[in-house]
Amino acid sequence: MAALPMYDWFEVHHEVDAQWKVVRDRLRREGIDAPDALTRDVDLATLWRDPNLIFAQTCWGPLELGLSEAVIVLGQSDYSPFEGGSGPLYSSAYLMRKGEGSPVQAPSGNEAIVPLDLLRGRRFIYNSEDSLSGFISPMRDLQALGQSIEIFSEARASGAHRESGLAIARGDADVCACDCRSWSLFQRFEPEAAAKLHPVGWTAKRTGQPFIMSPALQRYEATVRAAIAEAGMFAAELPGAPRVA
């Protein structure tokens, strides 16, 4: 089983499939019975723990909450092409409707830009509580400033970064933290909604989405690493690239 679920918007299925084909063909040349197609529409918590999982993505949020004991971390995605990304590190944009605050560019360093006055009393929407980019990262930045989720008048889950952005564009919420790659996808495939939004701040840079596999298939670990590298998907090859708390 293989899956690349974290940025697999339906509009880019063909691009994600092409990435998998490079990995799959390398694995097959090495005698591994890699699946023809990626697995989609499956519960992620179940997928990540499947003993037949040869290759997938996850988030450091679930890894911190216990998933790390059930998988092998192969390396990190590369976020350099996206504003707010730097190699294996990414930051999230604090998105609000235009007219709220001024647009803010991502900092070149690892510092956070948290517009406390803009956030105070707003309706916060996030993808899920175990998301590093959408929930954990902004909560850590707020804590570093002596604040908490209580700064918001409301906080609720949307289920996905895409849904958070759409909710803000509709006026059903006021602010979210959307990782830089998801924000790039949102601008690409939700242009009408994206035109209503802008970044008013950025979280600190933290370790982005890692690639994983099942420990039950550890005998293939070196081959899978080589296949991911051949596909140009690595920013860092070592397990658990340097993490920013």
Side-chain angles (χ1 to χ4, degrees):
M1 182 183 294
L4 289 169
M6 306 310 289
Y7 301 107
D8 192 25
W9 291 32
F10 71 88
E11 294 95 339
V12 294
H13 277 354
H14 64 291
E15 297 175 12
V16 176
D17 288 339
Q19 285 186 314
W20 166 240
K21 184 177 183 297
V22 175
V23 176
R24 180 199 68 193
D25 291 351
R26 170 63 184 266
L27 296 181
R28 287 180 171 178
R29 289 197 301 271
E30 299 294 334
I32 298 173
D33 186 22
D36 283 331
L38 294 167
T39 295
R40 291 187 168 103
D41 300 321
V42 64
D43 176 71
L44 291 181
T46 301
L47 168 81
W48 290 329
R49 291 170 171 80
D50 194 298
N52 295 309
L53 186 67
I54 190 71
F55 178 52
Q57 291 163 315
T58 187
C59 173
W60 279 106
L63 285 168
E64 289 184 355
L65 296 173
L67 180 62
S68 60
E69 300 174 1
V71 299
I72 294 171
V73 176
L74 296 164
Q76 297 292 146
S77 303
D78 186 2
Y79 290 86
S80 298
F82 310 100
E83 182 186 9
S86 178
L89 304 179
Y90 70 175
S91 54
S92 296
Y94 288 101
L95 299 177
M96 297 184 75
R97 287 183 296 279
K98 289 181 178 177
E100 300 285 353
S102 300
V104 176
Q105 290 186 333
S108 57
N110 288 352
E111 68 274 16
I113 300 175
V114 185
L116 291 179
D117 290 343
L118 280 176
L119 301 184
R120 201 177 308 277
R122 304 292 185 168
R123 297 169 296 170
F124 176 56
I125 191 165
Y126 55 90
N127 51 341
S128 63
E129 288 190 9
D130 65 350
S131 168
L132 178 63
S133 61
F135 188 83
I136 298 173
S137 190
M139 291 304 107
R140 288 179 178 168
D141 288 347
L142 287 173
Q143 185 178 26
L145 296 171
Q147 301 292 330
S148 72
I149 198 170
E150 299 300 321
I151 196 174
F152 302 111
S153 62
E154 175 186 307
R156 63 183 176 89
S158 69
H161 283 303
R162 188 174 195 164
E163 295 306 316
S164 297
L166 290 172
I168 296 170
R170 290 193 304 267
D172 295 337
D174 299 316
V175 61
C176 72
C178 179
D179 80 80
C180 58
R181 184 169 176 180
S182 293
W183 173 227
S184 176
L185 286 168
F186 193 85
Q187 293 174 88
R188 183 178 170 189
F189 297 113
E190 297 286 359
E192 184 176 342
K196 299 177 181 179
L197 310 180
H198 63 177
V200 296
W202 295 82
T203 66
K205 287 186 175 68
R206 295 180 168 90
T207 313
Q209 306 284 358
F211 299 114
I212 60 170
M213 67 182 297
S214 169
L217 301 176
Q218 187 172 13
R219 61 193 182 278
Y220 301 133
E221 180 179 350
T223 304
V224 176
R225 286 178 187 275
I228 303 170
E230 183 175 312
M233 300 168 71
F234 263 142
E237 297 189 21
L238 297 177
R243 296 175 61 192
V244 178

